[in-house]
Amino acid sequence: MKTIFKMLVLAGMITLTFSCKKNNTTPEDETNSNTSPTENLIKIGETYVVGANAKAIIYSAKPFETGYNEIYVALYDSTDGSKLSNGHFDITPMMDMGTMQHSCPVENTEDTTTTNGYFKAAVVFSMPGTASQWSLNLSFHNHKNGLEGNGVLGVNVIASSPARFKSTILSLDSNSSVFISLIGLSNPQVGINNFEIAIHKKVNMMTYLPVNNYSVEIAPEMPSMGHGSPNNVNPILTSNGHYVGKVNFTMTGLWRINLNIYKNGTLISNDQYFETTLQ
């Protein structure tokens, strides 16, 4: 009888122990078990959107550099701290060179609701600069309260290395000033890799439009070895000036991806390229 009693007491203690362990899980622990949309992003900075009763926090995958940069923006009610998920949000990048100011290509979201809690945009920074030179001018129509406002955040932009941005004047296309940005290929591998570029045309110091009427051929080569690679897929237009294809790297080392750009079947540029090194 005593033996049975001891067994029942021991079973109760085990049950209580497991119950206590389970109940020790805090809401914070449960929240942290879920993957955050910005888990692999870095915080660039934050600023208030004056007039809209909002605060904006800017994230990116890496420090801003010349070329194409994806931007994630979280907006919060500046009174109660709640996250805002509805509104019209726009970014206007500006470079202050002292004697003149200009913008650069930007892709703003057309969505009035957030994705995973973030508005997404992209900026093609055309030159390096400090936070006293480059700024992101934010505009937000807050659908929660119907208010509109603006904010400014100074940002640092470093030169991408190897270069992920090319600026050229195309004499065969009415002397147009054209920007070509490499997207992806941050960790290229031997074999077939996705290849994407964005092409924008300068209209004036404040306006840059996506180019949707070019065709592009790629010709990868290893300068040190004197050979190229087979099975590449030329980039074709998807939308908004983005051209997507495939590039094949057959071995490690430095590769140069040469671009041949055509308009209406006429070759208008064959001297632009991007370089990448496979380890």
Side-chain angles (χ1 to χ4, degrees):
M1 188 74 175
K2 290 182 179 180
T3 300
I4 295 175
F5 177 76
K6 289 181 178 179
M7 291 176 65
L8 290 173
V9 171
L10 180 60
M13 292 176 64
I14 293 174
T15 301
L16 179 61
T17 299
F18 278 102
S19 176
C20 289
K21 286 184 178 180
K22 182 177 181 180
N23 291 336
N24 282 339
T25 302
T26 65
E28 288 79 9
D29 294 332
E30 293 174 357
T31 300
N32 292 338
S33 65
N34 298 324
T35 302
S36 168
T38 57
E39 182 180 16
N40 298 318
L41 302 177
I42 63 173
K43 179 180 174 180
I44 299 296
E46 61 182 69
T47 188
Y48 284 97
V49 185
V50 180
N53 197 39
K55 182 175 75 170
I57 303 180
I58 309 296
Y59 297 91
S60 183
K62 60 186 184 304
F64 287 156
E65 62 181 17
T66 51
Y68 192 90
N69 297 262
E70 291 186 336
I71 299 175
Y72 299 84
V73 183
L75 287 156
Y76 297 88
D77 187 300
S78 56
T79 300
D80 61 24
S82 61
K83 206 163 191 179
L84 301 172
S85 59
N86 271 278
H88 291 91
F89 179 79
D90 287 301
I91 291 177
T92 301
M94 287 298 301
M95 159 59 81
D96 187 348
M97 302 182 69
T99 58
M100 61 177 290
Q101 293 183 330
H102 64 80
S103 186
C104 63
V106 59
E107 296 175 355
N108 280 302
T109 180
E110 296 181 357
D111 297 329
T112 56
T113 58
T114 58
T115 300
N116 294 325
Y118 298 88
F119 289 98
K120 187 178 178 182
V123 172
V124 178
F125 291 109
S126 55
M127 59 192 299
T130 66
S132 63
Q133 296 173 312
W134 275 112
S135 63
L136 298 179
N137 295 282
L138 314 178
S139 174
F140 182 52
H141 178 198
N142 188 349
H143 286 186
K144 178 181 178 180
N145 54 27
L147 300 176
E148 298 182 49
N150 299 281
V152 180
L153 178 66
V155 295
N156 294 303
V157 178
I158 61 175
S160 54
S161 180
R164 301 176 65 83
F165 170 81
K166 301 289 184 176
S167 175
T168 184
I169 302 294
L170 298 184
S171 59
L172 295 179
D173 187 14
S174 304
N175 288 317
S176 298
S177 178
V178 173
F179 294 165
I180 308 170
S181 308
L182 176 64
I183 303 173
L185 275 188
S186 58
N187 185 30
Q189 305 293 320
V190 173
I192 302 293
N193 295 258
N194 292 327
F195 180 81
E196 181 176 358
I197 58 174
I199 305 178
H200 294 85
K201 184 178 293 186
K202 177 182 176 182
V203 178
N204 54 49
M205 299 295 279
M206 292 299 299
T207 306
Y208 302 79
L209 298 178
V211 176
N212 296 322
N213 61 344
Y214 286 172
S215 57
V216 182
E217 293 178 353
I218 58 173
E221 65 166 330
M222 288 198 79
S224 63
M225 302 294 289
H227 66 74
S229 65
N231 304 321
N232 299 283
V233 179
N234 289 324
I236 60 172
L237 176 70
T238 54
S239 64
N240 203 28
H242 286 235
Y243 296 75
V244 179
K246 302 282 187 180
V247 60
N248 183 27
F249 301 122
T250 55
M251 61 187 297
T252 58
L254 173 66
W255 283 85
R256 177 175 295 171
I257 308 167
N258 298 292
L259 306 177
N260 293 324
I261 301 175
Y262 297 82
K263 182 179 181 180
N264 299 326
T266 299
L267 179 66
I268 58 176
S269 175
N270 63 354
D271 59 355
Q272 300 300 315
Y273 62 86
F274 291 104
E275 290 185 337
T276 187
T277 300
L278 280 70
Q279 303 296 330

